[in-house]
Amino acid sequence: MKDAVERSVDWLYLRNLLHRFIESKQTFPFAELCYLHANVFNSENDEEELYKLMAAVELLVLAFDMFDDLEDLDNFTEPWMDIDRGEAINSSSFLYTLSLSHIHSLSSPYRSEILGLFLEYALQAMKGQHIDLANAVKTEKECLQMMRWKSGSLTALAAEAGVMFACGKRYEEVKEYGHQVGIAGQIENDYKGLFTPHKQDRKFLKPSLALLYLQRKFNQTSVDILQYVHSGKDFDEYFGSIVAFKEKLLEAGVTQYLNVMKHIALKKAETYIKKLPLPAEKLDELLTNLIKK
């Protein structure tokens, strides 16, 4: 990722700024997903070219992470949130464009197809983000569809890009389980976000599976948590501690509900993986890395 910046940015100030954003990333799960699929579908890839593709995937994801934080005005611990807003927006746009440029520089015979995947899934992710920003979700079905576009598109992109690089093919199964793995990951992240103090938008205040569940008011505890949602207080101030808050979520059934929804998504993903025309050991490699870990 840094190499891509080095080759494209000759202004030291901007180069250092982008390096700072890249260095803030602790893990690179989308690059790993891309690498996994490339090697499952072809064990003799050009490693140098594959790493360029992986960098492009992570550059795109980083740009979308920045867009998301800047649009939601949350996650203020990230380095792009403590600089001039205009610079941050332009930096995220630069990284987005750089990811596409990096694809264009590939020598792969499937370069055009890979670029098409990037554009297709970027548009889907943007559509999902806009639905989220507009608070347009009213039902569980609509919420899952929004998550499929907003988050599932990026996991589907990483998986499909790896496959396309490896063999020049698209598999409907890869697209579908990519989306489902993304939904499962988003459900888990949304749950963790409920306990993150620096998430200033307070995830309950936006349409989400958790809020939609609570609004059905299955029990008095759900009503109590809804009162907290609109109180303007932090969970530790309202409930006394994070432990007490987690107990309330259990009593209301929120924790169990989100866990069930996550495992439904993973079960769907597993079903699609098993439909792929691959040897048993390859299927097991996908299942181990995507479902069982």
Side-chain angles (χ1 to χ4, degrees):
M1 294 170 72
K2 285 186 174 181
D3 287 344
V5 170
E6 290 284 343
R7 287 194 293 269
S8 303
V9 184
D10 57 6
W11 184 30
L12 186 60
Y13 174 82
L14 178 57
R15 184 191 300 170
N16 289 340
L17 187 64
L18 297 177
H19 280 182
R20 181 184 168 205
F21 297 157
I22 292 170
E23 289 167 359
S24 71
K25 294 179 69 70
Q26 302 297 315
T27 60
F28 300 90
F30 294 90
E32 292 171 2
L33 187 61
C34 180
Y35 185 84
L36 169 68
H37 281 78
N39 281 284
V40 163
F41 282 83
N42 181 4
S43 60
E44 299 181 357
N45 294 299
D46 182 328
E47 288 285 303
E48 184 176 349
E49 285 290 288
L50 178 54
Y51 279 114
K52 286 178 66 175
L53 172 60
M54 292 160 60
V57 169
E58 285 290 352
L59 285 168
L60 184 76
V61 172
L62 176 57
F64 273 83
D65 285 344
M66 294 172 66
F67 285 138
D68 184 71
D69 291 342
L70 291 163
E71 290 161 356
D72 287 342
L73 289 177
D74 72 350
N75 215 3
F76 287 100
T77 61
E78 298 293 357
W80 47 85
M81 299 300 288
D82 65 6
I83 64 171
D84 175 79
R85 182 171 171 78
E87 283 194 50
I89 292 172
N90 191 66
S91 297
S92 55
S93 298
F94 189 97
L95 289 170
Y96 170 77
T97 308
L98 180 59
S99 72
L100 301 181
S101 176
H102 213 42
I103 293 300
H104 187 67
S105 71
L106 290 173
S107 61
S108 168
Y110 311 118
R111 178 182 61 192
S112 295
E113 290 82 358
I114 294 170
L115 182 59
L117 288 173
F118 269 63
L119 294 172
E120 174 187 334
Y121 283 119
L123 288 171
Q124 281 190 20
M126 290 176 184
K127 177 170 60 175
Q129 171 70 349
H130 210 94
I131 291 171
D132 192 25
L133 289 169
N135 293 332
V137 168
K138 305 299 180 186
T139 67
E140 179 186 278
K141 182 178 179 179
E142 291 174 351
C143 190
L144 289 169
Q145 181 62 71
M146 180 270 289
M147 296 166 75
R148 176 184 174 90
W149 285 329
K150 179 178 176 178
S151 301
S153 293
L154 298 179
T155 50
L157 167 62
E160 282 220 75
V163 175
M164 181 61 70
F165 179 87
C167 62
K169 295 181 181 179
R170 293 192 72 175
Y171 292 86
E172 185 71 15
E173 295 89 348
V174 176
K175 179 185 78 172
E176 290 299 329
Y177 73 66
H179 279 116
Q180 294 302 323
V181 169
I183 289 172
Q186 187 61 57
I187 292 173
E188 183 174 350
N189 288 339
D190 285 350
Y191 177 74
K192 291 178 179 177
L194 299 177
F195 313 106
T196 307
H198 66 259
K199 287 287 185 180
Q200 297 298 316
D201 69 345
R202 296 262 307 285
K203 290 301 182 183
F204 269 139
L205 295 177
K206 298 181 66 176
S208 65
L209 289 178
L211 181 60
L212 291 169
Y213 178 87
L214 288 168
Q215 288 175 338
R216 296 164 75 177
K217 299 179 181 177
F218 287 115
N219 52 39
Q220 182 57 45
T221 307
S222 295
V223 177
D224 295 340
I225 296 176
L226 285 172
Q227 291 174 348
Y228 147 71
V229 169
H230 299 290
S231 70
K233 297 180 180 180
D234 292 330
F235 60 78
D236 52 353
E237 180 184 3
Y238 194 90
F239 294 107
S241 69
I242 188 173
V243 173
F245 181 37
K246 287 184 175 181
E247 288 176 353
K248 284 291 185 180
L249 291 173
L250 277 169
E251 290 174 13
V254 173
T255 305
Q256 299 91 319
Y257 167 69
L258 293 180
N259 192 49
V260 167
M261 296 302 291
K262 173 187 170 182
H263 282 90
I264 288 175
L266 289 176
K267 191 64 180 178
K268 289 180 179 178
E270 180 180 354
T271 300
Y272 283 115
I273 290 173
K274 290 179 177 179
K275 290 180 180 180
L276 282 171
L278 292 173
E281 64 270 17
K282 296 293 185 180
L283 295 178
D284 190 59
E285 186 175 355
L286 290 173
L287 290 168
T288 298
N289 284 277
L290 299 177
I291 309 298
K292 300 176 183 178
K293 67 176 182 179

